[in-house]
Amino acid sequence: MKQSEGTTKISVKDLDLFYGDKQALFNVSLDIQEKKVTALIGPSGCGKSTFLRTLNRMNDLIDGVKINGDIVIENEDIYKSNDVIKLRTKVGMVFQKPNLFPMSIYDNVAYGPRAQGIKSRKELNKIVEESLRGAAIWDEVKDRLKSSALGLSGGQQQRVCIARAIAMKPEVILMDEPTSALDPISTLKVEELIAQLKKDYTIVIVTHNMQQAARVSDKTAFFLSGEIIEYDVTNSVFSNPKDQRTEDYVTGRFG
Amino acid sequence: MRGLLWFSAFITVAILVLIVGYIFYKGFPLINFEFIFGDYSPTGGGGIWPMIVTTVYTIVISLVIATPIGILAAVYLQEYAKQGRLVRTIRFATESLTGIPSIIYGLFGAVFFVTTLKLGMSIIAASLTLTIIVLPVVIRTTEEALKTVPKAYREGSLALGTTKLQTLIKVILPSSMPGILSGIILSMGRIIGESAAIFLTAGTVAAMPASIFSSARTLTVHSYLVTQEAGDIQLAAAIGIVLIIIILILNFSATFISKKLNKADY
Ligand SMILES: Nc1ncnc2c1ncn2[C@@H]1O[C@H](COP(=O)(O)OP(=O)(O)OP(=O)(O)O)[C@@H](O)[C@H]1O
Ligand SMILES: [Mg+2]
């Protein structure tokens, strides 16, 4: 490797995933680095979301999913331990479409901490403010914390979703095409936010937007039909791909 | 085509106006304080207060029993049970139950609650029978309401490290509240409109019930009997007005409560 490697935060080894009889991931192995942004790219249906959702065990919600292999986050094999709750407080997630609950902005951000048993008004106020500041949305919403979160624009909602995720003080944040439902200006804001967040969090982001992957990520994994074809420093993947299929994809020849 | 649609809508509204108008025209002159709050007098005159009290008793008791059981059953079927043959059978059964004529429930209530459980002809026997009648309604509407909660809410909540139960209580049930409420309102309508089943289980005693174990007469049964026995259409219409007003009050309070429960949801 050309660039100095950081510490490994998540280590995935020989991961296979089946939806019933249908295999969606084949022998996926990769190490995700701490406090870096890792982008997952690849054509539609290649398994990016499926892979992302193995990292916080969201696939457990789907009937008939079978998983082989190991995913180790800080010396703990997350599929061997049964504490899914703890895992999900450590590994937060931001979805493709903003999915704030029909509650006030405040209640949305305080939702996770409250579920963890935090009741003190003072403490919650502090968490809500810090999280909204952390998601660069505090100034826009500070005067309307008590009004419905669904009254915000899509871009604002998505940043409140990020605030809601960081209110749990996670270590890793998973993002599944977080800007695909947003306009260009909101997209830019979220991208700037990602660049800031990586100081404190390990980020894994799925994106269909090549420029976005190039702009925000440190490393990029190229998926094709449930396999990792290439995984390297983002720069190399885009300017000097080793595999022909990667080259075809990043230059827009298919996908 | 537009004309036809307009005509159908017009007919519907016209019939409604006609019925309500007729009832008010006939019954309104009878309505006064004494009529509503006065005790019943078998010799004519007097009020309908005992029937109002009986009606409210049956509504409250049946709903207090049917609502929690219905909601819990729906939550189980929709959120917890493994979707398979058993659940399909239960669903089919509840759906079929909705279609059974109420006289059948009445006969069952008369045999089971009145005789076997020795409750006698009483408000409680009628309320338990009504509970069985409205339970499928509550279950169906609650299930439908739960189904409409976006998957994104569930995932969003679970991804924040909450348990399934927390997600249910904090996100899913509140979001389905309007649907659940409309089920409860439907049930109230069904209870108020019921006569045959109540007739067979609560009897027709036209006096202030001493307790819920007394036999008594609801407004609907009363209205049926005065028409049937005395041919007093005017009195029946006046009772109709009171029924309509009770339904309106109950609907408004149900809507009001749901708004309160969903403060942030506009
Ligand atoms: N719940 C499911 N049940 C069965 N198969 C599924 C399920 N979810 C995804 N799949 C299949 O798994 C494969 C990978 O899907 P996945 O959603 O991970 O792709 P993706 O790379 O995220 O695609 P996109 O870019 O369109 O989001 C696809 O073939 C898809 O049809
Ligand atoms: Mg996807």
Side-chain angles (χ1 to χ4, degrees), chain A residues 155-194:
Chain A
Q156 289 174 323
Q157 286 192 29
Q158 195 62 307
R159 278 178 289 147
V160 176
C161 285
I162 295 175
R164 187 174 67 178
I166 61 187
M168 299 299 295
K169 308 202 163 53
E171 293 163 27
V172 180
I173 303 177
L174 310 175
M175 300 184 175
D176 195 347
E177 303 186 43
T179 63
S180 66
L182 306 184
D183 62 90
I185 293 175
S186 306
T187 299
L188 211 68
K189 285 198 179 138
V190 172
E191 286 182 11
E192 280 166 9
L193 177 57
I194 293 171

Side-chain angles (χ1 to χ4, degrees), chain B residues 50-70:
Chain B
M51 293 85 193
I52 294 182
V53 170
T54 306
T55 305
V56 172
Y57 267 147
T58 50
I59 295 174
V60 171
I61 298 171
S62 335
L63 286 183
V64 161
I65 305 172
T67 309
I69 298 180

Side-chain angles (χ1 to χ4, degrees), chain A residues 53 56 58 61 85 88-89 91 93 95 99-104 111 115-116 147-148 150 164-165 168, chain B residues 82-83 151-164 166-168 170-171 175 262 264-266:
Chain A
R53 293 162 62 96
N56 63 345
M58 284 303 271
L61 305 181
I85 305 292
R88 290 186 187 147
T89 58
V91 182
M93 185 163 216
F95 296 80
N99 60 348
L100 293 175
F101 308 127
M103 316 168 176
S104 69
Y111 182 85
Q116 294 300 305
S147 51
S148 170
L150 304 183
R164 187 174 67 178
M168 299 299 295
Chain B
K82 217 169 145 57
Q83 304 297 315
K151 194 167 126 228
Y153 286 175
R154 294 162 205 269
E155 291 196 330
S157 173
L158 292 170
L160 287 164
T162 60
T163 61
K164 199 167 171 176
Q166 285 172 323
T167 300
L168 183 74
K170 291 281 173 57
V171 174
S175 323
N262 278 281
D265 186 11
Y266 19 74

Side-chain angles (χ1 to χ4, degrees), chain B residues 145-205:
Chain B
L146 291 172
K147 262 192 230 162
T148 60
V149 177
K151 194 167 126 228
Y153 286 175
R154 294 162 205 269
E155 291 196 330
S157 173
L158 292 170
L160 287 164
T162 60
T163 61
K164 199 167 171 176
L165 188 63
Q166 285 172 323
T167 300
L168 183 74
I169 293 171
K170 291 281 173 57
V171 174
I172 298 179
L173 282 179
S175 323
S176 16
M177 207 40 97
I180 295 177
L181 223 81
S182 71
I184 294 175
I185 291 175
L186 267 175
S187 306
M188 287 195 294
R190 186 88 204 250
I191 295 170
I192 291 173
E194 191 48 64
S195 52
I198 299 179
F199 191 94
L200 287 173
T201 48
T204 59
V205 172

Side-chain angles (χ1 to χ4, degrees), chain A residues 110-142:
Chain A
Y111 182 85
R114 275 183 178 141
Q116 294 300 305
I118 298 177
K119 288 205 183 71
S120 139
R121 194 80 206 175
K122 228 175 100 203
E123 201 174 338
L124 287 172
N125 287 345
K126 186 161 155 277
I127 294 174
V128 169
E129 174 165 353
E130 278 173 4
S131 311
L132 288 166
R133 279 190 195 282
I137 180 97
W138 172 252
D139 289 331
E140 287 162 67
V141 301
K142 64 169 187 271

Side-chain angles (χ1 to χ4, degrees), chain A residues 48-49 96 176-177 206:
Chain A
K48 308 179 292 294
S49 300
Q96 179 166 3
D176 195 347
E177 303 186 43
V206 171

